[in-house]
Amino acid sequence: MQPQAPRALVAAALFALPIAAHGCIQRGYPLAPGGQVDVRVDVAGALFATDTLDEKGKPSGPRQAPHETGVSLFLTEGGAPAFGGYVSVRVEPREALVLRPAADEDTEEPTCEASEGSFRCIASREGFARFVAASESDWSGTATIIISWADRVEEQTIDVLPAGLPDKATNFTMIIGGLGEADKVLPTFLALQCSVGPVPDDLGSKWRPGQIRSREAYVRATPPTATPTVVENAPVIVESLFSEAALSEKADCADRRTRLRVLLGATGESEKFFLCFSDIGGKAPFAVTSGEKLIEPSPEVDVDPEPRLLRVRTVQSVVELYQPTDLFEVSAFNVNRVRIAMPVDLRSDDDQILQLGQASMTLSAEEDFASLVGVYPSSTGTARLHVSPRLLSMPDCVSDPVTVVETP
């Protein structure tokens, strides 16, 4: 009886070389039950999913790396390379990763390929097969690559993180410029009008084109020491949690939205964007998230309301000499015709006639009574009250004239 040829030689005769005119992998033989498969993954850490998909469901825009890894298989039988032996490869869950062929380093021909609804890898002459596992969806979690032959399986897990910063990134923060010493957004008073009578029914838009208050901002983070490149193209989602605040890519805030996606650069810092605020004001919180990171507590901007109307109403037009009285009612209103607190400076245009009890005050808000200005009529004649925003000369809102007469 002639000795049987080694199985590898038989496979060589059947398999020849994994090269064909049409470029497909030639069929070899199923790896024997006693065969071994050693798995090596190029990327030691996790891959990153995408957070943006095009109309075909494919990743769009710059990707955070790594989002794919090479996978090498070493197939052996009896301690020798299993030239021509093939195994099946699949991913659980299926949507986690996409498997793609990768060229053999020596022959530059693929050793793995999708065929008849499955993905098959055939060992090269040296026993190697290679493919690429790529994240091409927004799925995240732990994926399992399952290599099967005969009644045996070999498994390799790969973690896929959500697009964005990994948990080991540090110093994640949002930097906001232009808040000043008061650490708030102050009013500009550019839309402030004066009145001595009733409040108009319409005070305009709370988002004034060309005059929307905005502040420049950017986000930044420090990458993990072991993986310094993972911050590049990491997406950050900034969301306004307040109806009177929005986000924009431009300082004029003409195009604004409640949610904005920005990418970190290679240094871990994003491009500049803008926080936009309506004339209503208030405390404006923002949620800032990226992958496994969340800025806590949420950044919050204190925004003063933009006064739209300053009304200086004369309680009475004639007063008696030397009789102290609350002579003027002063109120500030926002665009919704709601009375708001506002610091103002007060002056009489003739303090020899009308002496004011105070040079400044903070006007009452809606929940309080209107602010009254007390005077001391010290001489006969006519004078008026001037009211302006604290430390500003304009606008100068002037009351109707008041006449001081002799006491009968």
Side-chain angles (χ1 to χ4, degrees), residues 9-329:
L9 294 179
V10 175
L14 295 173
F15 188 70
L17 285 173
I19 303 175
H22 51 73
C24 295
I25 300 173
Q26 299 299 305
R27 297 183 64 84
Y29 67 92
L31 188 66
Q36 301 289 327
V37 179
D38 184 48
V39 186
R40 292 288 185 271
V41 178
D42 293 354
V43 175
L47 304 181
F48 288 95
T50 186
D51 68 329
T52 55
L53 299 170
D54 62 18
E55 63 278 2
K56 296 181 180 180
K58 298 296 184 181
S60 62
R63 289 291 304 273
Q64 184 182 6
H67 54 83
E68 64 179 34
T69 180
V71 181
S72 297
L73 306 181
F74 182 47
L75 283 65
T76 59
E77 288 183 353
F83 176 38
Y86 66 73
V87 293
S88 295
V89 183
R90 70 180 191 276
V91 176
E92 293 292 343
R94 291 185 61 183
E95 66 271 21
L97 297 170
V98 172
L99 303 181
R100 299 199 303 262
D104 180 81
E105 294 180 358
D106 296 324
T107 66
E108 297 185 356
E109 292 292 329
T111 51
C112 299
E113 194 169 77
S115 175
E116 300 177 356
S118 62
F119 195 80
R120 177 177 292 179
C121 289
I122 303 179
S124 68
R125 189 176 300 276
E126 291 76 23
F128 290 101
R130 185 168 173 80
F131 61 91
V132 172
S135 168
E136 294 189 357
S137 72
D138 55 4
W139 183 94
S140 61
T142 298
T144 304
I145 296 177
I146 302 173
I147 301 98
S148 59
W149 71 99
D151 58 351
R152 300 185 57 186
V153 296
E154 186 73 26
E155 295 184 352
Q156 175 69 47
T157 59
I158 295 180
D159 290 327
V160 182
L161 299 179
L165 293 172
D167 185 60
K168 291 185 179 179
T170 57
N171 300 323
F172 185 35
T173 187
M174 181 166 74
I175 309 299
I176 306 171
L179 295 183
E181 295 181 0
D183 200 29
K184 63 168 58 179
V185 176
L186 300 175
T188 65
F189 302 107
L190 294 176
L192 183 59
Q193 301 176 9
C194 300
S195 174
V196 295
V199 179
D201 292 336
D202 186 3
L203 292 177
S205 170
K206 64 182 179 181
W207 298 99
R208 290 171 292 131
Q211 295 185 355
I212 297 173
R213 291 177 292 174
S214 67
R215 293 297 182 268
E216 187 178 83
Y218 63 94
V219 290
R220 69 182 183 193
T222 301
T225 304
T227 52
T229 62
V230 298
V231 296
E232 186 171 9
N233 293 326
V236 179
I237 305 301
V238 185
E239 294 183 272
S240 170
L241 304 179
F242 182 49
S243 61
E244 306 304 331
L247 301 144
S248 179
E249 295 175 347
K250 296 183 178 180
D252 63 8
C253 291
D255 179 16
R256 57 188 180 273
R257 64 204 79 166
T258 58
R259 184 179 187 270
L260 187 66
R261 176 182 181 268
V262 297
L263 297 180
L264 297 183
T267 62
E269 186 173 303
S270 76
E271 294 291 328
K272 303 294 189 295
F273 56 93
F274 296 89
L275 312 182
C276 311
F277 307 101
S278 83
D279 282 352
I280 299 300
K283 292 189 180 297
F286 294 88
V288 187
T289 58
S290 179
E292 298 182 328
K293 302 295 287 186
L294 167 69
I295 296 181
E296 292 183 312
S298 297
E300 186 175 78
V301 180
D302 193 3
V303 184
D304 279 351
E306 187 75 72
R308 193 58 65 88
L309 185 73
L310 182 57
R311 184 177 68 174
V312 185
R313 191 171 71 88
T314 302
V315 176
Q316 49 186 325
S317 59
V318 178
V319 294
E320 295 179 356
L321 187 64
Y322 308 133
Q323 299 297 316
T325 184
D326 291 330
L327 187 55
F328 302 100
E329 180 187 276

Side-chain angles (χ1 to χ4, degrees), residues 312 314 328 347-351 353-354 356 382-387 396-402:
V312 185
T314 302
F328 302 100
R347 67 179 179 87
S348 169
D349 59 10
D350 191 336
D351 56 12
I353 297 175
L354 290 179
L356 303 181
T382 300
R384 298 178 299 176
L385 175 68
H386 294 251
V387 184
D396 180 23
C397 297
V398 185
S399 71
D400 288 333
V402 174

